[in-house]
Amino acid sequence: MTTFTFILIRQMPGNPFSIKVEQLMREQNLTVEEATNRAGALFDFDPNRPLLEQYTEYMGKLLRGDLGKSIISSEPVMNMLLRFLPWTLFSVGLGLLISFGLGILIGMLMAYWRGSLFDNVMTAFASVMYGIPDYVIALLLIIVAGVQLRILPFAQMLGGSTPGIEPGFRLDYILDLLFHAFLPVFTYVITSLGGWMLTMKSSTMSTLGEDYITVARARGLSQRRLLTAYIGRNAMLPLVTRLAISVGFIVGGAVIIETLYQYPGLGRNLATAILVRDYTVMQGIFLVIAISVVFSNILADLLFGLLDPRVRLGKEDAS
Amino acid sequence: MTVTPAAPEVVLSVRNLCISYLTRRGRLRAVNKVSFDLHAGETLALIGESGCGKSTINLGLIRLLPPTGTIDSGEIVYRRRDGQTVDVRGLTTGQLRQFLWRECSMVFQGALNSLNPVIKISSMIYDTAAAHGMDKKEARDRALDLFQKVRLDPRRVFNAYPHELSGGMRQRTLLATALLLRPQVVLMDEPTTAVDILTQRSIIDVLKRLREELNFSVIFISHDLAVAAEIADTVATMYAGEIIEMGPVAEVFYRPRHAYTLGLLEAAPRLSVGREELHSIPGSPPDLVEPPPGCRFHLRCRFATDECRTTPPPLTTAPEDERHTVACYHTATILKTRQEELARD
Amino acid sequence: MIGFATIATVPGLLIGMVCGLIPLGIALYYRQLRPGLLGWLACAFSGFACGFLGGVPMIVLTTAVVISYAYVNKQDPFTSRAALAEVNFEETRLELLLRLLAGLGNSVRAGLVALLRNKAGFIGFLGVLFFFLMSVFGPLLIPYDGRPHPDRRLPESRTLFQAPSAQFPLGLDWQGRDILSHVVHGGQGLILTAGLAGVLTTIIAVVLGALAALLGGVVDQVFSAFSNFILTIPQFPLLLVLASVLTFESNVALALLFALLSWPTLMRAVRAQVLSLRERDYVEAAIALDLGLWHITLREVLPNMISYIVVNMIFSIRVAMYSIVGLVFLGMVPLREPDWGVMIFVGRQQGALSNSISVWMVLAPVLAIALFQLSLVMFTRSLEEVFNPRLRSGL
């Protein structure tokens, strides 16, 4: 992954480095060599050294947490990332948590009361929500709720927090954070909820047909115990594996959603960095995104292991 | 162990039970006017081909039919140890939950899928105990004791996950769990089908011993005549949703009076007589959405006459044994055929 | 606009009408007037819409349907009146062609029936058809309004934005241009690019997936490792970066880039499917008969996967459309009017989201995208039935 961004920036035709070199040559009448060195200083590497050496140096710095400096603002990329990350982590994490939880609950009830009005309404809702892109939902939310109906104080809800409120672990600040996070979180929830609901419904349906559910019923277990430990836990398993995939998807969508809501997270700053061609920042954000995807994969595996003993104990005595 | 006719205390009485499934083609009558009595300590074996309604009866008795299935009519009356009778069809959901397992438990076919794969056996035991107000310690002691009785290593099994147990172990675990709350009746749906022959042997032995010790009644569903003959006191043959012959095990097997029972007996391999070819019953079970008129078996029956094709035969009692009932017009011919066969062997 | 745009033309209509004579003639020869006339209409229509591109393939389809009505297989002992001994099992080229065409025609007919049966799917189909008709025939009715109209400013207004009125059903944009004309003209490029991206993704995925599964060994490992690598990078941000770094002029290149980034998911699914199909009896039988790799893939494996592949292709088209609009929306690719994404982008820049009069400039394309995506989702339900022979027969 890091290797990939490394190559992308240095070696691709029309890569930012050679563009910068050309630009410097054109604008400041420098020779190729001068321009190369100047650009090298900007990009924080020495273009005259062999590629492999550059690569090892880059990787070494990376391991020490040094991601270079922003081309535009000269601020260390690491600092910027640490500033952006909490916003995205908070909004995406909260959105995912809510939609996953709600999706499981509703999906299970849909399967439980299949054929009922509730099921039909929810299935229609889920299919519609599943089919509509997240930014379309976001725009419709702004247009319908913010502009046409004026239910939401839309203009005040943009951004990450209201300027002027002192950050700190105080109730008014936390409420303000939630107030501003409402739009992105709501969008994430609405767009991913449909998928969770439908998957959970079909998964629950197949679980309901399992013998052990009939046996558990025959044992006279309480409805609650039946729904949680017997139906819910087994039906959830296939969804957990999808959790990691959806993290990548939501983070991708966050680029647009955060831009729309002017939410100061990784996504909006990636968009900005791309527009102003700030390659070191791009590289840094990319790295964080890739790490988060890998991390969520590990997390999903752990969660799966927690829920399914067959995986936890390895396969040595599975029949 | 055979039931002495002198003490026929009935624990479960079923009268004219009809169960149907809603299918795309219409109502499928899976169980038609089935009646029988189960006495205390008795083992009743239901035998017949796949799809003849055996498992449906079992699920119907504890009202756990799939959503497409309904009990159309009939009575299921259960008699508690204190002498009170319970109308199973009239129970509310809450009452049913209390009734199940405490009075009537079940061992399902396919032990593999009968255990929740994500929780430990101990959790399953505790769940069951909690649902019926048994305290944890008592449940644990009782379970460990029962595991011992079914020849399992109690502590190991108690703390294991289902996938850590072999097929036979799981089946015995289920058997022990079924007895956890000291039920009077245990329904067993092909409990020995999914396991190998040696495991089957040991499960039958365990079951016999437990029955002597704990004195519960069993409805035993099987298509394996040898197993049924070994374990049952009474045998009922089912065909196309109806009980067509029922009686004491020796009566039915040695003096069958229905062509279908005869066919089943001829189709069973016998180790003791190594030589003959196996007979099969020609044709396949009838369509239960539109059952044939008359005797439902007449299409496949070699003794069928015009009478069989038009009027369903009534249930009659055999002259030699009043407990032996059969629904066939040609009982005498069939009895003779069987006795000739046995004489030849 | 772009190279492969199609707009209904009068020469196209003529081409279609001429093409339609072939199925009509064959139908008259077989005395099947109704399918013949329908075939002629279908040819004329698709020729009208897409010229040669639409007319010529339609000849094959309609002819096949016509033949399927009339064709009687002489070798088939159930339909042939000839005694078995008289049946000539050698068939001429013509007979072979007829038999294949009749088979194709029967599939088309069965497919159409399946299409009509699923209600949600049929609504989806109507939606997709609507957008197709709108972008192909719409331009004939509603000319493109590309130049600013400062003269359309209302007396009391400070901008050129206008709310919907009888004259302009969807209102006017920031330059006083008719939004309806932009909606009608702005979908085609997007839909075609997304469609192309989806098709390319599917082709790459199916070819690589089938190769990986059938060849196995090193090929399998290399492809799988490569797809895993691409899968760890979230597609959309990567697409953003690449699209902005490479700066595309052509939509084909954009579609190709999308395809290159998004094949792995489907490829892995295809690989898994082929591997599992390989285990099934009939494929094992084919392998045992030594029928050859391509025969096995084409005749045994593909037909069983076609419904799955088509559904995934529609999914890819949806994601491609999502991504392309997203790119435009963030201003990452050169803007070309008319285009739904550009409308959203420019509308946002020009402050169309600030009040309910100007909001139509964004609302109209947003609704168009939402409806098109929704239609595609619903359409897949029908497609599943159309392409899945087991679902089709209704068992």
Side-chain angles (χ1 to χ4, degrees), chain A residues 114 211-212 214-215 217-223 225 229-230 233-234 237 307 309-310 312-313 317 319, chain B residues 59 62 64 67 97 100-101 108-109 113-119 124 127-128 131-132 161 163-164 170 177:
Chain A
R114 58 190 169 282
D211 285 346
Y212 55 80
T214 318
V215 179
R217 265 188 233 272
R219 293 211 309 275
L221 293 201
S222 69
Q223 202 76 342
R225 186 69 189 159
Y230 288 77
R233 201 163 148 187
N234 281 294
L237 293 176
L307 286 170
R310 285 166 291 189
R312 203 185 312 158
L313 293 166
D317 54 1
S319 53
Chain B
L59 289 172
I62 51 172
L64 282 176
R97 207 180 287 155
L100 291 176
W101 224 255
F108 283 80
Q109 109 192 71
N113 304 321
S114 294
L115 292 165
N116 183 352
V118 300
I119 62 170
M124 185 184 72
D127 282 347
T128 316
H132 296 279
Y161 282 103
H163 69 271
E164 295 167 311
R170 277 181 228 178
T177 318

Side-chain angles (χ1 to χ4, degrees), chain C residues 255-267:
Chain C
L256 189 65
L257 176 68
F258 175 86
L260 287 177
L261 290 182
S262 53
W263 57 267
T265 329
L266 178 58
M267 177 265 185

